[in-house]
Amino acid sequence: MESTTGQPRLRSGGSSRHRKDLSLTSRLPRAALNIWIVLGIGALVLWLAASKPLPAAAAAVPENSWFVDMNRFAASAHASFSCEECHGTMLEDGGRHPDPQHPQFLRQQASRSYDYERCGKCHRLSHERYKKGAHAKALEKEKKAEQEGQANPNPQKESLMAPTCGECHSSHYDVSGRSRVALGKRQVEVCGSCHPRYTESYMKNIHGRTGVDLGNEQSAYCTDCHGAHSVASLAKGEEALPVCLRCHPQAGPEFANVVIHELASVTEPPEEPAPKDAATLWIQRVRIAAIAVVVLSLVFFFGHSALWLLRELHEKLRKH
Amino acid sequence: MPSNAQRSEEFIRFSPLDRLLHMVVMIGFTGLAVTGLSIGLSSTAPARLLIALVGGAEHAAWLHRFFAVITYLCVVVHGLWFLYYRLVLGGRLTGPHSVAPSLKDLRDFRENLDYFLGRRSAPPEFDRFTYMEKIDYWAIFIGMNTMGITGLVLWFPEFFTGFLPGFFVNIALVLHFFEAVLAVLVKFFLHIGLAHFRPAVYPADTSIFTGRTTREKMMEEHPGQWRSISGSEKPTGKP
């Protein structure tokens, strides 16, 4: 084989190694190179450094206390209002003070006891849209079920789950003039408090990455597609396409089948079927295969190189 | 370059075109990796910092596409050169002086593993390009085409969903991301590590930038090629 003839040549090559090393080092100043290496490692450490987790999806958004922090209220959008403008006077309710001995006194959620019809006095359009939207319809359904005396299927939860104004907006503390990006980040928190799977999947999508993580205001936030008060699910492609067209005017019908919320999972069966489940499962299978290829390739390449390095080190040490 | 009377005989290992293309690909690949990973790993603090430095995600996307175009142009120029070399100059694209894979690479691989494990006292006699250098080359050449295809799907999803199912855009993103991770880990750590920081070549192998290599390096690292040209003419610039 070639190895027998190759060896003597290689040995003679090895004896000239020191000379070669010196000439190369003199050409390239070692200090400059070391700085380069240190910078490279520094950049790598920076890159891998503390990664900020996703915005907490379950943050308590509306502040449901019965007490109002007047300092924060003074900075809010409603600061110029007197209390009576929204809450009326004590006389309106027959002049009765709520009974402090009542077991539910101050225990019920504040936002659930307010009559949000009053918001419509000023915010007429939003209120009308809300009343036609899916949240209001869900609330109607829940109220009806309660009136018919059905047992609450989930005793851990409040009997009424569907949101009114106060579940999403804080009438005492929300400030006006927030930027589009700030509102988008807030939407991820607010919507995520009830729809965590949807905000989690949104944050893995390019819209969530660029819009929320990277603060790009041209990206679509929750309400840009689903509407703020009208609340459209967009589960059907023909509902979604007009929404896509707002930002992607060249889009055709199939464009609406691009998966934004990857809800299904190959590892755990979904609690409830979601649209695009079949496509999502294919995406995940491809992802698993891709990860396997990457890991196997890295094991091969890095293993090969580690052996190479060890062998060359051994050669150097042996000759010392 | 110091003029050194003792300077060993030099050989041209990479032609000016090779050096230029390597330089542009090096810059383009780094730019692609930095901008692309900043979007792909957007929840990490360094990614946000980098995106803020380039002025937002829209600018990062623009830069990413700019680097993609100049990098892919290198593939096109390289391909045109090969056509010219083969058809007009009548050169050979295969054989021991080329980057074309050959059966000898498999044998070299087995013998090199034997060398790593101490069952041989010396590495095999590599020709002009070792099997690792060929893998390095073909990984980039094939990788730029596959990354180009998935990248185009992500660049023009409206066009591609005209004849592909919608979730192919999602699959393109998955493939684009994981191939990028693989490419960055292999190129930034193994390619740079093996080409420059190995004990035998540390601190740097400048031949891809100067195009030149020495008689000693030829004898040591490409003994097969050295043997076939020693005594005869100098190796020419191309395969």
Side-chain angles (χ1 to χ4, degrees):
Chain A
M1 298 293 282
E2 289 178 38
S3 59
T4 48
T5 55
Q7 276 168 33
R9 285 174 181 279
L10 278 152
R11 286 212 177 283
S12 67
S15 66
S16 65
R17 182 175 282 159
H18 288 287
R19 193 148 46 88
K20 182 208 70 180
D21 265 358
L22 281 173
S23 68
L24 261 176
T25 347
S26 61
R27 275 198 232 161
L28 240 164
R30 194 177 279 260
L33 210 101
N34 285 346
I35 288 167
W36 196 72
I37 295 169
V38 168
L39 278 181
I41 293 170
L44 179 72
V45 170
L46 180 74
W47 187 270
L48 299 172
S51 61
K52 214 173 157 187
L54 292 177
V61 176
E63 317 212 358
N64 264 323
S65 166
W66 284 87
F67 300 96
V68 177
D69 179 342
M70 289 307 286
N71 286 329
R72 285 181 63 200
F73 176 71
S76 79
H78 288 162
S80 63
F81 288 28
S82 67
C83 305
E84 299 86 44
E85 280 176 82
C86 299
H87 293 283
T89 62
M90 293 294 281
L91 295 174
E92 277 181 15
D93 201 16
R96 281 184 297 110
H97 188 278
D99 177 10
Q101 304 301 319
H102 192 277
Q104 286 298 313
F105 183 69
L106 297 189
R107 284 180 195 278
Q108 202 187 3
Q109 271 189 37
S111 64
R112 282 294 172 195
S113 68
Y114 185 75
D115 177 11
Y116 285 102
E117 290 293 319
R118 299 183 195 213
C119 301
K121 275 196 299 186
C122 300
H123 303 283
R124 195 175 53 81
L125 198 59
S126 302
H127 191 244
E128 276 169 15
R129 283 180 182 156
Y130 165 78
K131 282 199 287 193
K132 285 181 203 148
H135 281 158
K137 282 184 187 141
L139 188 63
E140 286 297 309
K141 224 165 128 185
E142 286 175 355
K143 277 186 177 159
K144 212 170 153 193
E146 201 180 50
Q147 278 164 9
E148 285 167 4
Q150 286 172 6
N152 183 357
N154 191 347
Q156 265 94 48
K157 290 183 178 172
E158 291 275 328
S159 59
L160 296 181
M161 294 297 296
T164 58
C165 309
E167 260 65 49
C168 303
H169 302 282
S170 172
S171 42
H172 293 136
Y173 305 132
D174 271 353
V175 296
S176 57
R178 279 173 291 181
S179 73
R180 217 182 111 69
V181 176
L183 284 171
K185 288 181 177 174
R186 164 111 166 145
Q187 283 167 22
V188 173
E189 292 174 11
V190 174
C191 304
S193 62
C194 293
H195 306 285
R197 292 167 70 218
Y198 286 85
T199 45
E200 276 164 25
S201 52
Y202 166 77
M203 287 307 300
K204 289 177 189 156
N205 184 263
I206 190 71
H207 297 99
R209 286 179 180 289
T210 51
V212 177
D213 280 343
L214 304 176
N216 176 43
E217 60 178 19
Q218 276 141 320
S219 305
Y221 301 107
C222 308
T223 59
D224 290 325
C225 302
H226 296 282
H229 297 103
S230 44
V231 197
S233 89
L234 307 181
K236 296 191 186 90
E238 60 266 30
E239 288 173 14
L241 184 60
V243 175
C244 302
L245 283 166
R246 288 180 203 152
C247 299
H248 302 274
Q250 314 292 321
E254 190 58 28
F255 189 80
N257 287 334
V258 176
V259 180
I260 308 295
H261 298 281
E262 279 185 45
L263 295 171
S265 159
V266 277
T267 46
E268 42 189 304
E271 293 164 24
E272 58 205 74
K276 302 177 182 172
D277 269 355
T280 305
L281 289 179
W282 273 114
I283 296 163
Q284 292 194 357
R285 285 179 199 123
V286 171
R287 182 177 289 123
I288 290 166
I291 291 172
V293 169
V294 168
V295 168
L296 287 176
S297 309
L298 290 179
V299 166
F300 170 76
F301 286 121
F302 278 80
H304 177 274
S305 307
L307 287 175
W308 194 354
L309 263 172
L310 287 173
R311 178 70 199 198
E312 287 204 349
L313 267 177
H314 171 70
E315 288 292 315
K316 275 217 155 168
L317 293 172
R318 204 161 56 101
K319 281 173 188 158
H320 266 291
Chain B
M1 285 283 154
S3 67
N4 190 341
Q6 294 271 304
R7 201 166 83 189
S8 49
E9 195 181 350
E10 282 186 335
F11 293 93
I12 300 294
R13 181 157 163 76
F14 295 107
S15 73
L17 181 68
D18 289 343
R19 292 174 235 162
L20 176 74
L21 291 184
H22 179 269
M23 207 66 176
V24 177
V25 167
M26 190 174 86
I27 293 165
F29 185 91
T30 310
L32 283 167
V34 169
T35 53
L37 285 181
S38 297
I39 293 172
L41 305 173
S42 58
S43 61
T44 62
R48 291 169 202 225
L49 176 72
L50 280 164
I51 294 291
L53 285 177
V54 300
E58 291 279 320
H59 290 178
W62 190 91
L63 279 172
H64 192 75
R65 286 156 192 172
F66 168 76
F67 286 124
V69 168
I70 63 164
T71 308
Y72 198 78
L73 273 180
C74 291
V75 178
V76 173
V77 170
H78 194 56
L80 288 176
W81 160 259
F82 269 136
L83 282 180
Y84 170 76
Y85 179 77
R86 176 79 191 82
L87 300 177
V88 182
L89 296 185
R92 282 191 66 201
L93 295 182
T94 54
H97 290 301
S98 75
V99 286
S102 68
L103 278 178
K104 182 173 182 301
D105 293 323
L106 287 177
R107 202 171 62 226
D108 283 353
F109 173 61
R110 207 193 59 225
E111 290 179 0
N112 212 19
L113 281 189
D114 283 347
Y115 167 66
F116 292 167
L117 300 173
R119 292 194 293 231
R120 264 176 71 105
S121 56
E125 289 209 322
F126 291 117
D127 277 328
R128 180 148 185 234
F129 298 108
T130 69
Y131 65 89
M132 274 311 282
E133 287 165 340
K134 288 184 185 181
I135 289 177
D136 248 4
Y137 169 86
W138 285 105
I140 273 276
F141 192 86
I142 297 170
M144 278 203 248
N145 285 293
T146 52
M147 288 300 270
I149 292 168
T150 51
L152 278 178
V153 173
L154 297 171
W155 192 350
F156 304 107
E158 296 93 343
F159 170 73
F160 283 94
T161 50
F163 52 93
L164 289 175
F167 72 100
F168 272 44
V169 176
N170 299 83
I171 287 180
L173 181 59
V174 169
L175 296 177
H176 199 77
F177 177 73
F178 283 104
E179 196 180 343
V181 169
L182 178 63
V184 165
L185 289 177
V186 169
K187 288 293 159 199
F188 279 179
F189 291 95
L190 288 189
H191 173 66
I192 296 178
L194 292 182
H196 299 297
F197 297 155
R198 262 189 309 130
V201 288
Y202 183 84
D205 183 345
T206 52
S207 64
I208 190 64
F209 303 111
T210 63
R212 287 168 175 80
T213 191
T214 58
R215 175 202 296 269
E216 286 82 8
K217 275 177 70 77
M218 291 279 284
M219 284 164 65
E220 190 179 328
E221 296 182 358
H222 306 280
Q225 184 196 8
W226 168 249
R227 203 159 43 151
S228 76
I229 58 169
S230 56
S232 62
E233 85 283 14
K234 282 187 178 187
T236 48
K238 262 283 137 185

